[in-house]
Amino acid sequence: MNIYIEVASLSLTINSSYQAYLILSHACFIFQSNMISSIRIILSLGSFLLLFISSTTAKTSFRPKALVLPVTKDISSSTPQYVTQIKQRTPLVTVNLTVDLGGGYVWVNCQHGYVSSTSKSVACGSAQCSLFGSSSCSGDKVKLCGGFPSNTVTGVSTSGDVRSDVVSVESTDGNSAGRAVTVPKFLFICGSDVVQKGLPKGVTGMAGFGRTKVSLPSQFSSAFSFSRKFAICLSSGTINSKGVIILGDAPYNFGYLNSDISKALNFTPLITNPVSTAPISSLGEPSYEYFIGVKSIVISDKEVPLNKSLLSINKNGVGGTKISTVNPYGILETSIYKAVSKAFVKAVGVKTVSPVSPFGTCFTQHEIGSTQMGPAVPDIKLVLQNGVVWDIIGANSMVQFSNIDVICLGFVDGGSKPKSSQVGFIPMTGDQPTTSITIGGLQLENNLIQVDLARSRLGFRSIFSDHSNCANFNFTSSV
């Protein structure tokens, strides 16, 4: 149908199930669309409006309840990373992004080859710019919004313009991938070659899933008005083995015999760190990473003796436990690491061997048996603040080096003397952490992790216990 927009003197009526984006523009034009709705726009004399409608909402009344993204493990770089994929720009191109569970935004390298007819800069002082918190202005005549893209794998940060562009992903009903949907003005920060360095080949940015209004899940939730929750299930495989991220409300039907795993989750409250843990932040800004309350650690039914004050977050943002996908292995403050290592070695009952970097506690592999849950070692139990227990089984606690017959405890000694300039930020060198316990990518693999921001809680479950794994989601489109 044709939509006519012309100058007149009455009121504005929009009959549509989707959001229309209205910006001052031309006085009179004809916009060709097949949107199933009627729009009557009558403007006062001298007013000009331009109507932008996403390709999905223009073509159909379909409103997704949930979206799905693939996530794969990449070990080609020095640091193993988990990579997802979206389509962006006009025309659409595939963009690979490293998943940062605690990251505040999406950034993409715009330095080379970023071509799009729908890319728009964001004005400084605009409502969109204010969503980024720590921002800056650039330009002589027209002030543009700027942000600070950070590579949280390497710790490198730069500056870049904030832009909007088309982004397309697939919807889901929880059983398989569905039709693609589009957000016409998805916000992101432009990165550069400097900040991209350290990401795997073909990966040109990072997708932040943290507690901000401009994180990837928050923008999709706002665009389609679905629940502020998402689930992530990382696969341990690296070849033809896709894990899955589900945004919004949908069953997680990839458990045993395609059962819905969401009904069997354990939950614990999310905790807010009052001090930012980002490499660059404003004074007084809280962290947008995900923290939970660990009260004790138990190995072989015995509580590990710890300095319990390290398990809480103090006024300077130091301490506590966070969940991270950019740290491939768990990281423990030195005294916690030593106590856990000592208790673990005693429980295993096998002599240690020379460690393999970056690990400090290793054994001869053939002396450690195997089970359906991975290497036959004692579970490491994290007792959480509401009494729920997170069992870290052998598959999530051990790293195998089969070529040299060595197997190591998959936690790194992170140090014990945080710098004030690094509050909350743990560099991948493993030096001077401020977060006492980091649950890393290895510990998350083949666990379904649900972040429910509306209820401020985290759900978790090892799907090994359901005789399944995170690579079981059906990415074959049902449309």
Side-chain angles (χ1 to χ4, degrees):
M1 62 176 291
N2 290 331
I3 300 174
Y4 297 91
I5 301 179
E6 55 186 330
V7 176
S9 59
L10 295 176
S11 61
L12 167 67
T13 302
I14 299 179
N15 298 322
S16 170
S17 63
Y18 277 81
Q19 181 181 10
Y21 292 86
L22 298 175
I23 303 175
L24 286 174
S25 185
H26 307 290
C28 180
F29 66 93
I30 298 177
F31 184 80
Q32 180 71 34
S33 171
N34 63 351
M35 186 176 73
I36 305 175
S37 63
S38 63
I39 302 181
R40 291 182 293 119
I41 302 181
I42 305 178
L43 310 175
S44 60
L45 286 170
S47 296
F48 309 101
L49 292 176
L50 174 63
L51 175 63
F52 287 98
I53 307 175
S54 76
S55 60
T56 299
T57 59
K59 294 179 181 178
T60 176
S61 59
F62 173 67
R63 180 186 290 269
K65 292 184 178 180
L67 308 175
V68 63
L69 298 171
V71 56
T72 56
K73 186 176 182 178
D74 191 302
I75 59 173
S76 63
S77 61
S78 58
T79 302
Q81 295 170 45
Y82 302 93
V83 178
T84 191
Q85 194 175 84
I86 61 172
K87 291 185 177 179
Q88 187 196 43
R89 313 171 197 177
T90 302
L92 290 172
V93 298
T94 299
V95 179
N96 296 314
L97 304 169
T98 290
V99 174
D100 182 0
L101 184 63
Y105 45 79
V106 174
W107 68 261
V108 177
N109 189 345
C110 303
Q111 188 170 343
H112 304 290
Y114 192 102
V115 178
S116 175
S117 63
T118 48
S119 177
K120 303 289 184 184
S121 297
V122 172
C124 188
S126 65
Q128 290 175 317
C129 187
S130 66
L131 296 175
F132 284 84
S134 300
S135 59
S136 62
C137 295
S138 63
D140 297 327
K141 295 182 180 180
V142 179
K143 296 293 184 181
L144 301 179
C145 183
F148 303 99
S150 296
N151 184 329
T152 46
V153 175
T154 63
V156 173
S157 300
T158 61
S159 61
D161 292 341
V162 175
R163 293 188 188 179
S164 68
D165 208 342
V166 171
V167 166
S168 177
V169 299
E170 291 180 312
S171 60
T172 185
D173 59 1
N175 296 298
S176 61
R179 68 181 70 179
V181 294
T182 302
V183 174
K185 293 186 176 182
F186 193 95
L187 297 170
F188 68 101
I189 304 177
C190 274
S192 64
D193 291 348
V194 172
V195 74
Q196 181 181 322
K197 187 176 181 180
L199 300 184
K201 183 179 180 180
V203 177
T204 57
M206 301 189 76
F209 284 72
R211 293 188 183 199
T212 70
K213 295 180 180 179
V214 288
S215 67
L216 186 145
S218 292
Q219 290 199 61
F220 280 123
S221 173
S222 176
F224 296 112
S225 301
F226 56 57
S227 178
R228 294 175 61 232
K229 72 171 63 169
F230 66 89
I232 183 168
C233 202
L234 302 176
S235 173
S236 59
T238 58
I239 301 176
N240 298 322
S241 182
K242 293 181 181 178
V244 62
I245 299 171
I246 295 177
L247 312 171
D249 270 320
Y252 310 136
N253 293 331
F254 50 95
Y256 181 63
L257 298 178
N258 293 326
S259 60
D260 181 6
I261 308 172
S262 67
K263 297 179 180 179
L265 294 176
N266 297 306
F267 292 97
T268 193
L270 288 169
I271 296 173
T272 299
N273 188 330
V275 180
S276 177
T277 53
I280 297 177
S281 63
S282 300
L283 185 64
E285 184 179 10
S287 172
Y288 37 73
E289 294 190 271
Y290 298 109
F291 286 77
I292 59 174
V294 172
K295 294 303 181 183
S296 63
I297 299 175
V298 174
I299 298 175
S300 290
D301 298 324
K302 295 181 180 179
E303 183 174 329
V304 178
L306 303 174
N307 177 356
K308 293 292 185 72
S309 66
L310 295 172
L311 301 180
S312 300
I313 302 170
N314 69 19
K315 64 180 182 180
N316 296 318
V318 175
T321 300
K322 73 176 182 180
I323 300 171
S324 170
T325 55
V326 295
N327 293 106
Y329 312 109
I331 301 177
L332 304 176
E333 183 274 341
T334 289
S335 68
I336 296 176
Y337 177 83
K338 289 180 178 178
V340 168
S341 175
K342 181 179 179 180
F344 190 79
V345 170
K346 182 178 180 180
V348 171
V350 173
K351 289 183 178 181
T352 60
V353 298
S354 297
V356 178
S357 179
F359 308 108
T361 305
C362 299
F363 310 89
T364 300
Q365 183 171 328
H366 73 260
E367 293 186 0
I368 303 294
S370 62
T371 70
Q372 291 183 339
M373 299 296 183
V377 296
D379 291 356
I380 299 174
K381 298 178 181 292
L382 305 182
V383 182
L384 307 181
Q385 68 178 57
N386 57 339
V388 173
V389 175
W390 185 328
D391 282 317
I392 300 177
I393 61 176
N396 299 115
S397 67
M398 305 301 290
V399 179
Q400 301 181 53
F401 299 91
S402 298
N403 59 322
I404 56 174
D405 193 30
V406 172
I407 187 169
C408 300
L409 179 64
F411 287 85
V412 174
D413 182 348
S416 59
K417 296 180 180 179
K419 295 179 181 178
S420 59
S421 61
Q422 291 181 319
V423 173
F425 180 58
I426 302 179
M428 281 309 301
T429 57
D431 296 330
Q432 300 172 319
T434 59
T435 301
S436 297
I437 300 174
T438 297
I439 299 172
L442 173 66
Q443 286 73 50
L444 300 178
E445 289 176 356
N446 290 311
N447 281 262
L448 180 68
I449 306 297
Q450 183 194 76
V451 176
D452 188 340
L453 290 172
R455 298 186 180 183
S456 191
R457 67 180 186 176
L458 182 131
F460 59 93
R461 180 176 178 81
S462 170
I463 64 174
F464 269 174
S465 60
D466 294 320
H467 308 286
S468 185
N469 63 72
C470 289
N472 278 356
F473 184 83
N474 179 18
F475 279 96
T476 302
S477 177
S478 59
V479 178

